[in-house]
Amino acid sequence: MGSAVIDTCFLINWARFSEREKLKLLFDRLFMPEITFSEVRSMVALGLASEWLASRFLVLAPVLPTNEEEVEGILKLVASHPQIPSIDPPELYAFILARRLEVPLLTDNKAPKRVSQLSGGYSVPVLDSLDVLKLISDRGFELRELVAKFMEETGFRFSRSRLEEVGLIG
Amino acid sequence: MGEKAEELLRKWEKEDEEAREIRRREADWDFIRSQPPRLRMALELYVELGDLHLAARIAGMTVDEFNELRLKARIPVVL
């Protein structure tokens, strides 16, 4: 097991998922940049954050000075490809933190994953909720059931191509 | 740009179009139309782009607060 960086979206989505504790089968510690934590406001997400902070499963990471060239390079990549959604400062910082710590970034935002896939230079393992559910299923759980429950409880849908990727449709 | 990158960009365009269709189809349009203008614009933008950060900014909310509104509007997050 190892650690990972999470962003606000991932925390707020998983706060509604009744099987969220299964994340602990994959990771022993999650880092969340303080800058992203300030976006957490709902009681559901704050409740989960408090519980995980108390058990030190979740750790807030201080904001470190960013490398201007690194930020500029990522923004240039985003600017030159309309297929990559805009990347907000908290999201950008979570991406950079994951890269520095050399751990995966857990996020349901498409921009970090696409930046990572398109540019070898900013390669960071970026996992979204479906990737994480697949990893959990590899530990002996039924993927179809996990996905169905996740969709029902969090208001998510997965595209046909993503479901094909994880083998749920042929 | 290499062939592999071009292929990725095409794949993403296709995925985004499919995601947009799903959001449009499943959204509760009566709820969206009943919202004050600023929130309605933010929800409509979310249906089109699926960008939570941007929509939250339009709504004047944090992403967490906007996500609660998204759930009420029955707009799915599509991956």
Side-chain angles (χ1 to χ4, degrees), chain A residues 144-158:
Chain A
R144 195 173 295 278
E145 282 174 21
L146 285 171
V147 167
K149 192 180 265 194
F150 188 82
M151 284 169 50
E152 187 187 331
E153 294 176 352
T154 63
F156 264 61
R157 298 291 178 268
F158 298 111

Side-chain angles (χ1 to χ4, degrees), chain A residues 75-87:
Chain A
L75 293 179
K76 272 185 184 166
L77 194 70
V78 172
S80 55
H81 297 91
Q83 295 87 348
I84 302 177
S86 60
I87 190 160

Side-chain angles (χ1 to χ4, degrees), chain B residues 61-73:
Chain B
M61 296 173 161
T62 67
V63 289
D64 196 3
E65 290 164 337
F66 183 78
N67 190 54
E68 297 290 312
L69 185 67
R70 170 192 76 78
L71 286 164
K72 286 180 191 159

